[in-house]
Amino acid sequence: MSAGWPVELTEGDVVLRPIRARDQRAWQEVSRRNRDWLRRWEATVPPPPAGRGGVARPSYRQMVRYLRGEASAGRMLPFVVLFRGRLVGQLTVGGITWGSMCSANVGYWIDEEVAGHGIMPTAVALAVDHCFRTLGLHRIEVCIRPENRPSRRVVEKLGFREEGMRPRYLHIDGDWRDHLVYALTAEEVPEGMLARWRSVRSAPPRTN
C-alpha cells in the first residue's frame, strides 16, 4: 500500500481508521437510521441513455473492496469516523493526484444524533493534516451543495476558502446539483489544521 495507508488518526474521542468489511453491521445501522437525513446530500447514479441498462447500487462489501483497492493504488483514503468507540460516519479523501498538482478532495457524512458537536471538524482536521504533513499534498478541496448548511459549517469553522460555484456538478437525489467549492493549500495552515481547530474551539465566545 502507499506510504499514507493504512493509518489510524486520533484526537480525543474522535478516531479515523480504515473502513473494513466487518464494519458492515454498524455502518448499515447508522446509514439506515439516517436515510432521510442523508438522502438530499448523497451522490446518485444518473439514468442511463435510452436503450442501455442501469448500474446497480453496489453492496456494502463491493463498496469496501473498491475503496480499499483505490487506497492500495494510492488514489484514496477511505475512513470511518468513530466517536467514543462507536461508528458515527464516514470520511473519504479521494481524487488524490500527484505530479504538478498534488491535490485531493474530501467528502464526509455523520450520524444526525451526534452532528453539531465538533466531531466532523475534528475528523476533517485530522485528515487534512495527514494529507499535508505526511503525504505531502498541496491542496484540498471540499465540494458542498449550497443548501447543505451543516456541511458548509464544518469547512467554514476550519477556515477553508469559498472559491465559487460549480453548476450541475454532481448527480444527487435524482438530479444534477450545483456545488460550492471550498479549498485550502498547505501554505494557508502552517500551524496545522488540528492546531487551528483546537484554537478555534478554545476561543471565548464572541459578545456583541
Side-chain angles (χ1 to χ4, degrees), residues 159-195:
F160 276 74
R161 285 177 289 101
E162 183 182 324
E163 291 192 332
M165 186 77 72
R166 289 184 179 166
R168 301 178 68 80
Y169 178 64
L170 283 177
H171 197 274
I172 291 179
D173 194 25
D175 204 354
W176 295 100
R177 309 291 182 178
D178 297 346
H179 279 64
L180 285 170
V181 181
Y182 290 85
L184 195 71
T185 61
E187 294 90 346
E188 294 174 271
V189 279
E191 76 277 26
M193 181 59 80
L194 195 56

Side-chain angles (χ1 to χ4, degrees), residues 31-178:
S31 298
R32 183 167 49 250
R33 187 161 38 78
N34 285 269
R35 186 171 292 124
D36 292 338
W37 158 256
L38 297 174
R39 181 180 292 119
R40 289 183 298 161
W41 322 122
E42 285 188 323
T44 48
V45 178
R52 295 184 57 183
V55 178
R57 187 178 182 90
S59 68
Y60 175 83
R61 289 183 177 272
Q62 288 171 331
M63 177 189 72
V64 170
R65 281 197 297 271
Y66 168 76
L67 293 175
R68 293 181 69 89
E70 289 294 287
S72 296
R75 293 187 291 262
M76 187 177 286
L77 303 177
F79 295 105
V80 289
V81 181
L82 306 181
F83 179 64
R84 296 176 180 170
R86 182 167 69 92
L87 194 154
V88 296
Q90 190 171 349
L91 182 149
T92 302
V93 180
I96 297 175
T97 304
W98 300 102
S100 57
M101 184 171 285
C102 291
S103 72
N105 56 70
V106 172
Y108 48 82
W109 61 265
I110 192 168
D111 188 340
E112 186 178 15
E113 283 189 1
V114 296
H117 295 283
I119 298 167
M120 194 52 74
T122 301
V124 173
L126 285 166
V128 169
D129 276 354
H130 181 69
C131 287
F132 285 163
R133 296 185 159 198
T134 302
L135 299 186
L137 293 177
H138 176 251
R139 174 183 165 92
I140 299 293
E141 279 190 5
V142 184
C143 296
I144 304 170
R145 287 186 62 181
E147 305 88 346
N148 192 346
R149 285 301 310 164
S151 190
R152 290 175 61 186
R153 281 196 295 270
V154 170
V155 292
E156 288 165 358
K157 288 175 183 178
L158 296 172
F160 276 74
R161 285 177 289 101
E162 183 182 324
E163 291 192 332
M165 186 77 72
R166 289 184 179 166
R168 301 178 68 80
Y169 178 64
L170 283 177
H171 197 274
I172 291 179
D173 194 25
D175 204 354
W176 295 100
R177 309 291 182 178
D178 297 346

Side-chain angles (χ1 to χ4, degrees), residues 8 10-17 20 23 26 30 80-89 119:
E8 185 171 296
T10 303
E11 169 71 4
D13 291 329
V14 178
V15 176
L16 287 180
R17 66 153 172 79
R20 306 181 300 207
D23 291 323
V30 176
V80 289
V81 181
L82 306 181
F83 179 64
R84 296 176 180 170
R86 182 167 69 92
L87 194 154
V88 296
I119 298 167

